[in-house]
Amino acid sequence: MESNTVISVKGNTSESINDLSLDGFAGVIESINMGNVSVARFAPPFILALGTFGNLMIIIMFSKQNSASSLNLFFKALAVSDLCLLYTGLFPWWIKQVSSFDLLVTHTVMCKLLTVLFNTAGVVSVWLLVAMTVQRAVSVVWPHKVNMLCTPRNAKYYLLGITICFILINSHFLFGQILRQNGNSSNAQCTLNYDSAEYNFFMYKVWSWIDTLMYSLLPCVILIVSNSVLVWKVSESVRNARVTLAQGQSDQLRAREKKASSLTVTLVAISLAFFLLSTPLSLLFIIAPYTSLDITVNPLGVAVLNFMYVLLNLFWYINSALNFYLYCLTGTKFRNDFRLLLCCRNEQSSVLSLNTQISETYTSKVQNETEF
């Protein structure tokens, strides 16, 4: 997703607000533009700090485990991919906002390479999340086949396959992104190749749909179906437990229901976070090319559109910084193990309990699917 690309509008975007005062919206436009600048300068450091800490903690916690399960690999790969997304996309964008230094214009290679890496990291993160969700569903529907299908070897093949696939899909940026000199080197921009009418049509009329399909629509459909299956099977397991467990085992039943509830909340939280934080930006990239806003005619509309772009862009980055905190918030055992790790009281058994907690969620027994 080329979220570093500014929403393009017609007309001279450097036109003074005073020249537009006849519209009667000069004060509103100025306030929106000031809010736009403030959000772009002050929000990214917090997202970067939270995302860096959270993703590094995921890598550290799963690297301490002796297990070489497919989920262990997926969790670490997702954290690495999210870090790559934050530091090839959000970090250069923020530096440009606060210092006017643009890392992408230092060389043509940087312009093209960072754009490809940024877009590839974003889509790889999404499809890693899809893979983990599908594996959860498989472990519930076919508990006796999950250990055969979801092996570490297959996980490595999947990770390598989607990485190569999406690098090839995003390789068009090697042609489409160019370093354009606007008068002198200080005004250089890493931007789309507007000189090619065919590429402009591809980007604004074709790629926007491909981008939305890869990043949002198709992953959302798979996540909704997989999580619905998982929630249904977990609910069915609890209902069966109510029938089979004796009355004297009420404490066991309550514990099982609590575990099922915790898992359900975790799944709903992850799915909603992805859907709510990523889909709006994709929809904006679809709608924007058809708005035909002209700054000389509708400066207020242009200001609102650019503010929406900045805000939704930051929401999209938040999704790459949120996974660790969602697990801590909704998973009791995950949160307790993290607390032990921070307090330096985690003995070997507590270190391994994180792997047990995650692994039991995805193992071949439906009973263990309720624990998170």
Side-chain angles (χ1 to χ4, degrees), residues 107-324:
H107 196 278
T108 302
V109 174
M110 293 294 290
C111 172
K112 297 177 180 293
L113 184 61
L114 285 181
T115 302
V116 172
L117 289 176
F118 162 74
N119 284 275
T120 301
V123 71
V124 166
S125 292
V126 172
W127 285 95
L128 282 172
L129 178 59
V130 169
M132 290 187 289
T133 306
V134 170
Q135 181 167 334
R136 289 199 298 264
V138 170
S139 66
V140 172
V141 178
W142 298 291
H144 302 294
K145 294 183 179 180
V146 63
N147 291 331
M148 179 182 63
L149 298 174
C150 304
T151 63
R153 183 178 181 180
N154 289 341
K156 291 178 182 178
Y157 286 150
Y158 175 84
L159 178 59
L160 180 62
I162 62 172
T163 302
I164 294 176
C165 175
F166 291 126
I167 286 177
L168 293 176
I169 291 176
N170 288 301
S171 63
H172 69 88
F173 287 112
L174 296 176
F175 163 78
Q177 288 290 123
I178 61 173
L179 193 58
R180 187 183 300 275
Q181 302 289 342
N182 297 328
N184 55 72
S185 59
S186 61
N187 291 326
Q189 286 185 316
C190 178
T191 185
L192 294 176
N193 185 6
Y194 296 112
D195 298 330
S196 172
E198 293 81 5
Y199 189 73
N200 276 336
F201 177 83
F202 169 76
M203 280 300 300
Y204 290 110
K205 303 297 184 179
V206 179
W207 177 253
S208 59
W209 287 97
I210 297 175
D211 178 83
T212 301
L213 183 66
M214 288 193 309
Y215 280 89
S216 294
L217 294 183
L218 187 56
C220 279
V221 170
I222 297 176
L223 287 172
I224 291 172
V225 172
S226 299
N227 284 321
S228 297
V229 170
L230 182 57
V231 171
W232 169 62
K233 293 296 290 185
V234 169
S235 300
E236 185 181 63
S237 176
V238 172
R239 286 196 301 269
N240 292 337
R242 291 180 179 274
V243 176
T244 57
L245 290 178
Q247 294 183 353
Q249 296 175 307
S250 57
D251 291 340
Q252 182 181 352
L253 176 58
R254 283 195 296 268
R256 186 168 184 175
E257 290 176 335
K258 182 178 180 181
K259 293 173 184 178
S261 176
S262 177
L263 175 60
T264 301
V265 170
T266 299
L267 298 176
V268 171
I270 295 173
S271 300
L272 285 179
F274 171 75
F275 181 77
L276 294 176
L277 295 174
S278 67
T279 303
L281 184 62
S282 296
L283 295 178
L284 179 64
F285 276 110
I286 290 179
I287 296 172
Y290 299 95
T291 57
S292 299
L293 290 177
D294 191 327
I295 196 170
T296 62
V297 177
N298 189 5
L300 179 60
V302 172
V304 171
L305 183 64
N306 284 332
F307 182 75
M308 288 177 59
Y309 162 76
V310 171
L311 195 62
L312 296 181
N313 194 26
L314 292 174
F315 284 168
W316 187 70
Y317 282 117
I318 289 174
N319 187 58
S320 296
L322 202 60
N323 290 337
F324 172 79

Side-chain angles (χ1 to χ4, degrees), residues 13-71:
T13 57
S14 62
E15 184 174 349
S16 172
I17 291 295
N18 294 330
D19 297 333
L20 303 171
S21 58
L22 293 177
D23 291 336
F25 293 108
V28 176
I29 295 172
E30 184 176 4
S31 299
I32 293 175
N33 289 335
M34 290 178 61
N36 196 351
V37 173
S38 298
V39 170
R41 287 183 176 180
F42 296 111
F46 295 99
I47 300 175
L48 285 168
L50 292 174
T52 301
F53 175 78
N55 288 309
L56 286 178
M57 287 306 303
I58 291 175
I59 296 172
I60 292 172
M61 294 175 73
F62 282 93
S63 295
K64 286 180 174 292
Q65 301 169 18
N66 296 325
S67 173
S69 66
S70 57
L71 281 168

